Amino acid sequence: MTGGPTGFAAALLAAAFLLQNAAEVRGGGPDLPAPVAARLPGLTSRTRVVAVALASVVVCAALAVAWPADTRWRQALLAMIAGALAANAVVQAAASAVQRRVLPGTLTGAVLMLPAAVWLLALLPGARLWAMAGIALTAPLLAVIWALAW
């Protein structure tokens, strides 16, 4: 499982994630929910760009560590990343629907990142449990990334 469709799906997911992040930055950075943003008086566009850059580095470093997917722990890490990125795309689409506007990065997330993540999960053995673990860890990891960006 060191190449072939799994390798292609992982590379596609990395590229889709970076394109989605570029779209977020181009659109002014990721939007935080209004109640959260109101409690963060020092939130600037620079903070948002730094948070996106940190997330990009962390996810790409994790993907590099998880590749090649030749062991169970590497397959689990790939599944966690794919689950987290799939959830991110779904949450952004839901937030766009609630706010009745397309948030930055939503289209690239839904059109590129979500299908790549789902495809990678379909190729990995036993991915469902690890994908759920990745989804569960997303919020705490994002909190740490935002704190570092601050």
Side-chain angles (χ1 to χ4, degrees):
M1 190 165 305
T2 59
T6 305
F8 184 71
L12 186 63
L13 179 59
F17 172 68
L18 291 174
L19 287 171
Q20 188 267 348
N21 281 354
E24 278 191 340
V25 168
R26 197 168 30 101
D31 286 339
L32 290 175
V36 175
R39 293 181 182 179
L40 302 173
L43 182 66
T44 64
S45 60
R46 181 189 174 283
T47 306
R48 293 171 188 217
V49 169
V50 170
V52 170
L54 285 172
S56 297
V57 169
V58 168
V59 169
C60 288
L63 283 168
V65 167
W67 198 253
D70 56 356
T71 61
R72 298 288 289 166
W73 73 266
R74 285 181 164 165
Q75 292 169 9
L77 182 57
L78 272 178
M80 289 173 71
I81 295 165
L85 295 181
N88 177 269
V90 170
V91 166
Q92 279 192 320
S96 288
V98 167
Q99 295 184 30
R100 295 181 186 195
R101 65 184 184 99
V102 179
L103 299 174
T106 300
L107 293 178
T108 51
V111 172
L112 299 176
M113 194 166 67
L114 181 60
V118 170
W119 184 33
L120 180 57
L121 288 170
L123 294 171
L124 292 168
R128 193 175 312 162
L129 175 65
W130 292 112
M132 288 187 278
I135 292 167
L137 290 172
T138 298
L141 288 173
L142 283 175
V144 169
I145 286 171
W146 277 96
L148 291 172
W150 201 262

